[in-house]
Amino acid sequence: MDRLFFVLGSASGLVGVAAGAFGAHVRWPGSPVRAAGWCFAGGTVLFSGSLYALSLSGGRWPSGITPLGGLAFRAGRACLIWAAGRGTVPQVG
């Protein structure tokens, strides 16, 4: 089981670095895409941060923040859908 988690964690890191490199080299115009980026950043801090705090503290306080991070992720996805509908997502390839 430890090997499975090691593989999954490594694959997650690989995808994260690849997505970051892609995002750094492809400039997406428009405010909906910029808003999506802020929503994803906020979602990461709220969702993942509260889960880390919960696991490290053993308390229940951060658990109320976790759903707000999920809402931020959904808002980011909605902004990307909005950007695609407006035609502001560039063609890649």
Side-chain angles (χ1 to χ4, degrees), residues 42-58:
T44 299
V45 170
L46 293 173
F47 187 83
S48 300
S50 66
L51 291 179
Y52 284 130
L54 179 63
S55 66
L56 293 175
S57 70

Side-chain angles (χ1 to χ4, degrees), residues 1-85:
M1 189 57 87
D2 290 338
R3 185 177 296 167
L4 173 64
F5 291 137
F6 184 80
V7 169
L8 292 175
S10 298
S12 175
L14 174 71
V15 170
V17 170
F22 178 77
H25 293 96
V26 175
R27 300 297 178 229
W28 288 17
S31 58
V33 176
R34 196 172 310 113
W38 282 111
C39 287
F40 286 132
T44 299
V45 170
L46 293 173
F47 187 83
S48 300
S50 66
L51 291 179
Y52 284 130
L54 179 63
S55 66
L56 293 175
S57 70
R60 293 184 45 89
W61 175 81
S63 64
I65 297 173
T66 308
L68 297 177
L71 287 174
F73 283 139
R74 284 185 285 258
R77 289 182 186 100
C79 288
L80 290 179
I81 291 168
W82 179 27

